[in-house]
Amino acid sequence: FPCNDYPTDKAAVDFHLTVPDGTTAAANGVLASTRRQGAVTTWNWHERAPIATYLVQIAIGHYTIARHRGPDGIQLRDVVPPGEAAALRVPLAGTSTQLAWLEHQLGSYPFATYGLLAVDDNIAFLNETQTLTVARASWLIHGIPGYPAWLMTDYGMTHELTHQWFGDSVSPSRWSDLWLNEGPATYYGYLYAAARGDLSFPGIVKQWYADDLQQRPADGPPAAPKSVSDLFNGPSVDETGALTLYALQLKVGTQSFDKIMRTWVTAHRGGSASTADFIRTASQISGRDLTGFLRGWLYGATTPPMPTTGTAS
C-alpha cells in the first residue's frame, strides 16, 4: 500500500479487508466490525496507536480467532489454524504470564490488544508485527527442531513481546539504531528464561562477551553494524546490544537501570528515538555522564572491558 516505509513515519491505520465468506481476515489492532454483503465479508480492523509500516501484518485464510483476557484486563486475541487450535492453547497461554512479568519490568503494556498469529507454514522466523506477532505454529507446539523447547516458548515468545515496547511503541530513528529494538528484546527474553529456570543468565552474558570479542571486528559494534543484509538477525545488534544493556546495569546499578528503561519507553511512547537519545536519557536518569561509556560499547571497534562497579541482578 502507498507509504513512506521508514520507521519515523508512523500513523494510525484502518484496515478494510473484503474476503469470501468462510475466510478470516486479520490485521494489527482491534476488530472494530465485520460486514457481510452477498458472498463476501468485510473485516474492519483499527490500530489506533502509531505504527511503522514494516510492522503492518495482514493474514487472510482459514483461521480461528481465539480471545481471552490477560493481566490488567488487556484483551488478548490469537489468530490460529483451526486444526491446531487445541494444541496451541497451552503454549499460547504463556502470553499472560510473560505479559505480567514484562509489565513488572517496564510498566504498562503500550497497546490495546496483543496476540500471536500462528502460521501453518514453513516460515523460519518470528516477527514482532505490532500487537500481532507472527510465529510458525509447529514451533509453538513442538519447539524449534534441534533446540530445547524453552527457546521458543519462554525466550522466543518473550523476545517478540518485549518488542511491543522496544521497536513497536518506540521505533528506531534510523536502521542503524536497530539495537534499541533487538538489544532489549534479547536481554529481557533471556532474563525471563533465566527466571523460569531455563538457563544461567550470568552464563549467557559470558557467552555474549566471548562472542563479541571474536565477531566485533567483522560484524561491527551494535550501533554501527557492518552487515546491512543481515541487519535484523545480526549478533552485533542482538546479543551485543543485550550485552551493552547488561554492562550499563553493572555501571549504574539495577535500580537506576530499571528507571532508565522505564523512562525510555514512557518518554518516547508512540514515536521514534535514536541512540543519541538513549545515551542522553541514561545520563540524565543516572545522574552521570555516560556518553563515553556507552559510545565505547555501541560504536567502539573493540569490545570494552566489563564494568565491575554497581550491582546487577
Side-chain angles (χ1 to χ4, degrees):
F1 62 97
C3 63
N4 181 8
D5 195 17
Y6 207 71
T8 52
D9 192 10
K10 304 170 70 170
V13 179
D14 286 311
F15 303 86
H16 307 291
L17 309 173
T18 301
V19 297
D21 282 346
T23 304
T24 297
N28 311 84
V30 175
L31 180 61
S33 65
T34 58
R35 181 172 56 87
R36 184 178 181 181
Q37 188 172 12
V40 299
T41 299
T42 299
W43 297 68
N44 301 301
W45 294 83
H46 177 55
E47 173 53 316
R48 66 186 182 189
I51 181 172
T53 48
Y54 84 99
L55 299 170
V56 166
Q57 177 68 62
I58 297 172
I60 298 172
H62 296 290
Y63 292 103
T64 295
I65 300 178
R67 295 178 175 86
H68 46 114
R69 189 174 295 275
D72 300 325
I74 297 171
Q75 294 294 324
L76 301 179
R77 52 89 180 88
D78 299 311
V79 182
V80 302
E84 295 175 310
L88 284 163
R89 194 171 296 123
V90 170
L92 292 179
T95 298
S96 290
T97 303
Q98 295 157 7
L99 190 50
W101 185 86
L102 282 169
E103 284 199 310
H104 179 73
Q105 303 291 325
L106 302 170
S108 62
Y109 176 70
F111 301 115
T113 189
Y114 184 69
L116 276 81
L117 165 63
V119 178
D120 192 9
D121 201 357
N122 295 328
I123 60 170
F125 59 88
L126 289 81
N127 198 357
E128 68 274 15
T129 40
Q130 189 163 307
T131 76
L132 188 61
T133 288
V134 61
R136 185 170 169 175
S138 64
W139 285 5
L140 289 165
I141 297 169
H142 304 294
I144 303 171
Y147 293 91
W150 65 262
L151 191 67
M152 182 69 184
T153 55
D154 286 347
Y155 169 72
M157 288 175 63
T158 306
H159 177 112
E160 303 306 330
L161 181 52
T162 303
H163 273 308
Q164 304 304 307
W165 282 266
F166 296 92
D168 293 14
S169 177
V170 184
S171 299
S173 290
R174 301 180 300 173
W175 292 121
S176 57
D177 295 318
L178 195 68
W179 80 273
L180 289 165
N181 299 16
E182 298 299 337
T186 301
Y187 178 88
Y188 287 108
Y190 274 111
L191 198 63
Y192 178 78
R196 299 276 291 178
D198 298 322
L199 77 157
S200 162
F201 194 72
I204 196 67
V205 169
K206 289 180 180 178
Q207 186 62 57
W208 291 340
Y209 194 87
D211 290 345
D212 191 58
L213 287 171
Q214 298 296 318
Q215 68 200 19
R216 186 178 286 237
D219 296 337
K226 294 182 179 180
S227 174
V228 175
S229 61
D230 202 30
L231 186 60
F232 278 83
N233 195 37
S236 65
V237 173
D238 288 57
E239 286 84 358
T240 308
L243 180 66
T244 298
L245 294 177
Y246 185 79
L248 175 62
Q249 184 185 17
L250 287 175
K251 182 75 171 178
V252 303
T254 300
Q255 184 175 0
S256 184
F257 174 79
D258 289 346
K259 189 175 181 181
I260 289 167
M261 302 305 278
R262 282 172 166 261
T263 300
W264 177 255
V265 295
T266 300
H268 300 288
R269 183 170 178 163
S272 300
S274 68
T275 298
D277 294 325
F278 184 83
I279 293 173
R280 185 161 44 249
T281 297
S283 296
Q284 290 172 347
I285 297 302
S286 67
R288 307 165 67 173
D289 184 0
L290 297 169
T291 305
F293 173 79
L294 284 172
R295 285 193 65 85
W297 278 97
L298 294 168
Y299 294 102
T302 58
T303 308
M306 186 64 73
T308 56
T309 57
T311 58
S313 60

